Amino acid sequence: MEARLLDLIYSTVADPLRWKDVLVGVSDHIGALGGMLAYVPPPSARRPPTQILGRLPEEPSLIFRERHAWNPWTVAISRYQTGKAVSANSLLEPGSIRKTEFYADVLAPWGHADIIDINHKALSVDGAAGGFGFCLSDRSAGRTEEHVRRLDPLTPHLCRALEASLLVGSHADGKRQISVILDLMPNAALMLDGRGCITQANRAAETLLRQSDGIAFNSTGGLEIVSTLSGERQALSRALKSVLDVAAGADATISEPVRISRASGAAPLLLIAVPLPRPSFPFWELVAPSRALVVIVDPAAKSRATSSAVQAAYGLTAAEARVALLLASGVTGAQMPGLLGVTAATVKTQLRCCFEKTGTHSQAELSRLFTMFPPTGRPDHH
């Protein structure tokens, strides 16, 4: 039986979705009601725990995640050594757990009297707690030493298999493919990890951030607003936090896009952040480096790109493309000389060239033709 169980435990390295089967198999082997693999973030994180359940009811686990994550058992186990099986009740004053709301809300209604825990070092850092737990009934709780002895030989194998599963997860985000996708995006784009630090950025984002005009890299690799407007700094911080909270599974609302002013006087940037899909194996969230995608729209860059597209499509000169795009943005031919600092005759000549090259015959036709291109704002006349 134990050899088959070891095969099952190590099969999780290739298929982490089999951890549920492992929890059931180990529970049967030691005589437990069921098992769990759990990660409890530190209280300051304000995120719900992550759990995989093996033959344990969802309802008490939901109450645990919502109201009792840091219960007396969790606190006691978090202070115990890692990699060793132990009865949670053995770490508390006898009978004290029965006096808690945790017992009344979670344990008593489902007949859970004790839990044999294995505190795992990879899940127990920075004030967090986590590892394996196997719940015992009242009848079984009287033989906790026997259950611990049966679990002891399996403990190092469970820990090694989980470490391997997490290692696979750290390489499962397709980093090379993401880099290719980012570089194909027309706007500045970058990826953030769960702490808000940049994990990847395309060339457009690197160029934009190094200009330190509105936003920039900071010393830790995160995003920093250079603008002196504190309201914009706070808006960016709120937007990134909300997106990362959603990516982590918290019940949060994603903020609206953030407008960022630029000291150079250039058109403001528009920052849009979206959470990335959660991984198929929930514990990969603890090691997956990329948790959110941030796109930064630079209207000035887009205007230049649109002007280039117009020139390439119709063989226009830069001056002719500028006139055509001004027309499409709502500026009349009569307004252009004063806006561009050229004579009316020059504008008339440029418009005539636009008509010939595009096959149009009036300013109205030319304007309609260029509405198919992305909005650009008025090109700079300098």
Side-chain angles (χ1 to χ4, degrees), residues 154-348:
L154 297 175
T155 295
H157 301 289
L158 288 168
C159 291
R160 289 191 200 110
L162 180 55
E163 288 167 8
S165 290
L166 296 176
L167 181 62
V168 169
S170 68
H171 298 286
D173 68 329
K175 189 169 183 177
R176 290 182 61 185
Q177 292 90 332
I178 290 174
S179 294
V180 172
I181 293 170
L182 288 180
D183 281 333
L184 289 174
M185 296 180 71
N187 292 304
L190 49 88
M191 297 288 194
L192 301 182
D193 65 13
R195 298 171 299 170
C197 293
I198 297 170
T199 59
Q200 291 175 269
N202 64 9
R203 286 185 287 272
E206 291 176 352
T207 299
L208 181 63
L209 292 171
R210 288 197 179 102
Q211 292 172 356
S212 297
D213 188 16
I215 56 175
F217 288 112
N218 66 21
S219 58
T220 62
L223 279 173
E224 177 185 2
I225 284 195
V226 178
S227 170
T228 57
L229 299 178
S230 61
E232 291 186 358
R233 290 197 295 273
Q234 294 166 4
L236 177 60
S237 177
R238 288 194 300 268
L240 297 182
K241 182 180 184 305
S242 69
V243 165
L244 293 173
D245 284 347
V246 171
D251 185 13
T253 301
I254 299 176
S255 297
E256 295 293 325
V258 181
R259 180 181 180 276
I260 301 174
S261 301
R262 305 172 79 177
S264 67
L269 301 171
L270 187 66
L271 186 143
I272 305 164
V274 294
L276 296 179
R278 303 182 72 177
S280 57
F281 179 50
F283 280 77
W284 279 351
E285 293 184 357
L286 307 180
V287 294
S290 300
R291 302 304 304 126
L293 168 67
V294 175
V295 176
I296 306 168
V297 180
D298 181 355
K302 191 166 188 178
S303 177
R304 291 190 295 273
T306 304
S307 181
S308 298
V310 168
Q311 292 179 59
Y314 296 103
L316 303 181
T317 66
E320 291 163 357
R322 179 175 56 189
V323 166
L325 291 173
L326 278 174
L327 196 66
S329 70
V331 178
T332 67
Q335 294 171 325
M336 290 184 195
L339 180 64
L340 297 175
V342 298
T343 65
T346 298
V347 171
K348 187 175 180 179

Side-chain angles (χ1 to χ4, degrees), residues 120-143:
H120 195 281
K121 62 180 180 180
L123 306 181
S124 305
V125 295
D126 299 327
F132 300 92
F134 299 93
C135 295
L136 305 180
S137 65
D138 277 312
R139 180 182 299 179
S140 299
R143 306 192 307 276

Side-chain angles (χ1 to χ4, degrees), residues 7-27:
D7 288 341
L8 177 60
I9 289 172
Y10 285 107
S11 73
T12 59
V13 179
D15 183 6
L17 299 182
R18 299 202 69 184
W19 272 112
K20 184 175 293 188
D21 298 330
V22 169
L23 295 170
V24 171
V26 173
S27 295

